[in-house]
Amino acid sequence: MERAWRGGQRVMVNDLVTNGVICSVYFFKDRGCDEMTSIRLQAKLTYDLQAYVDRMYGGPGKGWFRVVTDSAQAREVIEQGKLAVVLGVETSEPFGCKQVLDVPQCDREDIDKGLDELYALGVRSMFLCHKFDNALCGVRFDSGALGTAINVGQFLSTGTFWRTEKCTGPQSDNPIGLVAAPGAERKLPAGVSLPRTTATRGATSGADRPRRVRGARHDAARHDARDRPHERQGHRPGARPVRGGVLPGVLSSHSWMDLNWTERVYGLGGFVAQYMHGSEQFAAEAERTDALREKYGVGYGYGTDMNGVGGWPAPRGADSGNPVRYPFRSADGGSVIDRQTTGERTWDLNTDGAAHHGLVPDWIEDIRLVGGRDVVDDLFRGAESYLDTWGASERHRAAVNLAAGRRPRPVPRSGTRSRATRPGAPSTATAAPAGRAAGATSSGCASIWAPPTGSAASPSTGSAHTAGRTGSRCPPTASGGAPSGPRRPATAAWTPSASRPARPATSA
């Protein structure tokens, strides 16, 4: 992560990821599988990492790795040339809010308590559901053998398989039931067989898998048509009115939505990132959606699945026509980057691919070689767009209470689950200012880049050097704290390529 920061990264979403069913069948675990227990531990370890980096750099607050809990704080951190780290949650059944045989196992009180605890931990972004349908939302399907295995897990957790409906519009879900997963299917009870179907779910709206916590960013995988917002708020040029109240905090973090929803996300003031594909595929997809980013004046992001089940960019080969040539200058111009050495191992993107997060600057250089400077320019505008979306969600107040007059379904209190205890947040997690907002360890990172406006003093690592720079349009207040009210970011001395109209410069 330090090498990525030195190469220009200024925002990272660190999702706290877990799945109780997958944990239960994993052979090498050293603790229990309660999802909230895992999330608390991962949050603590993230703050421990922050403290460790601080000690390396001279004391509390001096390190480059800074957990942030609001968009203004993120801008302050970035103005200091540091990495703003946003805590997220990507779990299947948050705070025990699962369903069994379609009966919710949580009520409003459970949900409020769960959200309050996550907020106190510093969480500001959230997948409302992940892999399994739960009492909050339904997921976007995985396809292939992996999808079959996850559908088995869905049954083992909830007593129901994924159910599909005929799609009536251009959007669709991934096909399921086409590929067997014999190892997983043997886990099913006797007499239970997996449904085989090619039908896909209708009415998917929003983005990746659902994320939402009060006042924060919402990464929506799938919502019914009745959840579509209607009220117009012009957070972006060209924003359009839709039904139900604007949700400016919508994120699509790593290519897990039907791409026909892309413009709708932008119209809501949301943010879109692409999965960390190989440079050729990434550049091609970025080009396909370039006109929409131009229309809405937004940047771009990328999402990794480090430590998850997704693949990472493979090497193109040292014998390709245009390999990465070391040393190279980072895209923001602030670093000279040579091959990274860890212990006795030296890494080369051309032969190793993007094997870990430290090779992200090399991957960005490969994208520049394959797709041109325009794609990289959009990535370096991404952090500004992300913080704009976050800030809009902080300011948002719902015009309509969609839950008004609805009676909660009864929650069985026995015979269906064990209700996990909810100890308080660890002492390392401090709650952010009032006004709800809420998005791991390292499975899903929505990472956004921008030219640095300065750099934290650091010991020499021999891998890269970030030159400190100035150019802030947004100095701190006289007291040194964040100014009150909406803020604009600092702007580094960096100019987009002359081949296209310049958009607002990025700070983050």
Side-chain angles (χ1 to χ4, degrees):
M1 284 187 290
E2 180 178 5
R3 193 170 185 271
W5 160 66
R6 289 177 178 277
Q9 186 171 337
R10 291 297 178 267
V11 173
M12 183 180 77
V13 179
N14 189 44
D15 283 326
L16 314 176
V17 179
T18 187
N19 178 287
V21 172
I22 294 176
C23 171
S24 69
V25 299
Y26 187 62
F27 298 106
F28 304 109
K29 52 182 173 287
D30 59 357
R31 58 183 60 90
C33 294
D34 176 71
E35 293 187 2
M36 286 301 294
T37 299
S38 176
I39 286 170
R40 295 178 194 112
L41 175 61
Q42 293 177 54
K44 177 184 181 301
L45 293 174
T46 305
Y47 288 107
D48 288 349
L49 176 60
Q50 176 177 262
Y52 175 79
V53 175
D54 280 353
R55 289 193 295 272
M56 292 177 63
Y57 284 76
K62 294 186 178 181
W64 52 268
F65 183 96
R66 310 306 308 160
V67 177
V68 297
T69 53
D70 60 62
S71 60
Q73 184 186 16
R75 294 188 190 280
E76 288 286 344
V77 163
I78 293 159
E79 287 165 10
Q80 298 167 21
K82 300 178 180 181
L83 176 67
V85 179
V86 183
L87 289 184
V89 162
E90 184 177 0
T91 190
S92 297
E93 293 161 348
F95 32 88
C97 206
K98 64 184 295 181
Q99 59 183 12
V100 175
L101 299 176
D102 290 328
V103 178
Q105 304 299 294
C106 60
D107 56 20
R108 292 181 183 176
E109 181 182 358
D110 294 323
I111 295 170
D112 282 343
K113 286 180 179 178
L115 295 180
D116 287 344
E117 179 180 1
L118 293 180
Y119 191 86
L121 287 171
V123 171
R124 295 297 181 272
S125 180
M126 184 179 181
F127 291 89
L128 288 183
C129 56
H130 176 241
K131 300 304 182 188
F132 301 161
D133 295 340
N134 60 29
L136 302 174
C137 62
V139 297
R140 181 170 173 83
F141 304 142
D142 284 85
S143 58
L146 177 61
T148 299
I150 293 173
N151 201 6
V152 169
Q154 152 102 7
F155 180 87
L156 296 176
S157 179
T158 70
T160 59
F161 292 108
W162 290 331
R163 288 192 292 270
T164 62
E165 300 170 6
K166 183 181 170 95
C167 297
T168 58
Q171 295 84 9
S172 64
D173 209 328
N174 293 317
I176 61 172
L178 304 180
V179 183
E185 292 180 59
R186 283 194 290 271
K187 302 287 185 181
L188 290 170
V192 176
S193 60
L194 195 76
R196 304 293 180 188
T197 176
T198 60
T200 52
R201 200 185 295 246
T204 46
S205 76
D208 279 4
R209 289 155 281 197
R211 287 186 177 187
R212 171 172 17 198
V213 174
R214 293 163 284 184
R217 282 138 5 264
H218 170 203
D219 202 334
R222 170 195 151 318
H223 283 289
D224 293 334
R226 62 178 175 270
D227 291 329
R228 296 173 184 172
H230 74 275
E231 188 176 292
R232 186 177 187 278
Q233 292 184 352
H235 301 306
R236 296 264 192 257
R240 299 179 303 168
V242 280
R243 213 167 37 119
V246 163
L247 285 171
V250 176
L251 309 175
S252 175
S253 63
H254 53 296
S255 302
W256 200 247
M257 71 170 178
D258 187 302
L259 293 176
N260 289 297
W261 291 121
T262 302
E263 183 163 15
R264 184 173 166 212
V265 172
Y266 285 146
L268 290 170
F271 179 79
V272 174
Q274 187 187 154
Y275 188 81
M276 190 181 177
H277 294 120
S279 56
E280 293 168 319
Q281 183 178 351
F282 191 95
E285 175 55 27
E287 177 64 24
R288 195 192 74 81
T289 54
D290 179 72
L292 284 176
R293 291 193 298 279
E294 290 283 355
K295 176 179 178 180
Y296 289 91
V298 295
Y300 207 32
Y302 73 93
T304 72
D305 207 358
M306 297 290 183
N307 205 33
V309 298
W312 305 334
R316 288 196 296 126
D319 57 350
S320 65
N322 55 346
V324 172
R325 300 190 184 280
Y326 295 92
F328 63 89
R329 186 166 291 278
S330 63
D332 68 323
S335 305
V336 175
I337 300 176
D338 207 339
R339 293 175 179 84
Q340 189 212 354
T341 297
T342 303
E344 297 181 355
R345 173 70 183 270
T346 297
W347 303 84
D348 185 324
L349 185 85
N350 299 305
T351 55
D352 296 309
H356 57 77
H357 201 80
L359 294 175
V360 167
D362 314 55
W363 175 71
I364 297 288
E365 171 67 4
D366 205 34
I367 289 174
R368 184 189 69 80
L369 294 170
V370 170
R373 181 72 200 197
D374 285 353
V375 182
V376 177
D377 288 350
D378 278 358
L379 286 171
F380 272 73
R381 296 182 181 99
E384 172 64 15
S385 295
Y386 181 88
L387 294 182
D388 280 350
T389 294
W390 190 358
S393 72
E394 290 169 330
R395 297 187 296 272
H396 175 67
R397 297 294 180 269
V400 178
N401 179 4
L402 298 179
R406 295 176 181 267
R407 298 184 62 183
R409 298 175 68 178
V411 179
R413 292 299 181 181
S414 63
T416 55
R417 67 161 175 163
S418 60
R419 298 178 60 84
T421 58
R422 297 183 174 86
S427 59
T428 50
T430 56
R436 303 277 186 213
T441 37
S442 41
S443 172
C445 296
S447 305
I448 305 101
W449 285 57
T453 58
S455 101
S458 91
S460 173
T461 63
S463 60
H465 174 69
T466 302
R469 296 197 274 163
T470 58
S472 171
R473 294 182 293 152
C474 189
T477 60
S479 63
S484 59
R487 306 197 50 202
R488 297 300 300 168
T491 303
W494 177 78
T495 305
S497 61
S499 62
R500 68 199 299 184
R503 300 176 189 151
T506 270
S507 75

